[in-house]
Amino acid sequence: MYWNPEIETMDRAGLEELQLERLTEALERARQSPFYRSLYEKRALKPLARLADLCTLPFTTKAELREGFPYGFLAVPLERIVRL
C-alpha cells in the first residue's frame, strides 16, 4: 500500500526532478525574507541546476541566525502573520 503511489513508485530520475523542483520553490520562497535575501546576495548564490549542487549551499551560522531573529526571517509582511 502506498500513501501517494505516483510519487512513491516514481523512477529515480523523476524523483530527483521533483525534489529539485520543490527545493527550488522553497529556496525562492526563502529569498522573499530580508534575512535570506541578504545572505543570497552576500554569497552570490545562484539557483540550483541539479540536486548534486545542494552541497554547494553554505551553512547558516549561529551568529547569522541571531542577527535575523525574529522578524528578519519573515517572507510575508508582519501584518499578515497570525502566530510566530
Side-chain angles (χ1 to χ4, degrees):
M1 236 33 225
Y2 295 102
W3 179 75
N4 187 332
E6 182 181 345
I7 292 175
E8 293 178 50
T9 60
M10 190 178 283
D11 66 5
R12 174 55 74 186
L15 180 60
E16 288 183 5
E17 184 178 325
L18 179 63
Q19 290 172 330
L20 180 61
E21 177 185 314
R22 290 183 177 182
L23 178 60
T24 300
E25 289 171 6
L27 291 172
E28 284 307 310
R29 177 85 171 151
R31 188 186 294 266
Q32 294 176 21
S33 83
F35 175 80
Y36 284 106
R37 187 178 325 111
S38 170
L39 283 181
Y40 283 26
E41 290 169 1
K42 274 193 260 183
R43 297 174 179 174
L45 296 179
K46 306 284 186 225
L48 300 178
R50 55 198 178 103
L51 277 182
D53 296 339
L54 185 58
C55 67
T56 67
L57 292 179
F59 287 101
T60 304
T61 67
K62 186 184 278 190
E64 290 169 330
L65 292 173
R66 284 183 179 138
E67 180 184 314
F69 185 80
Y71 301 118
F73 298 107
L74 299 180
V76 296
L78 186 58
E79 305 82 54
R80 292 186 53 203
I81 302 298
V82 175
R83 181 177 173 193
L84 286 178

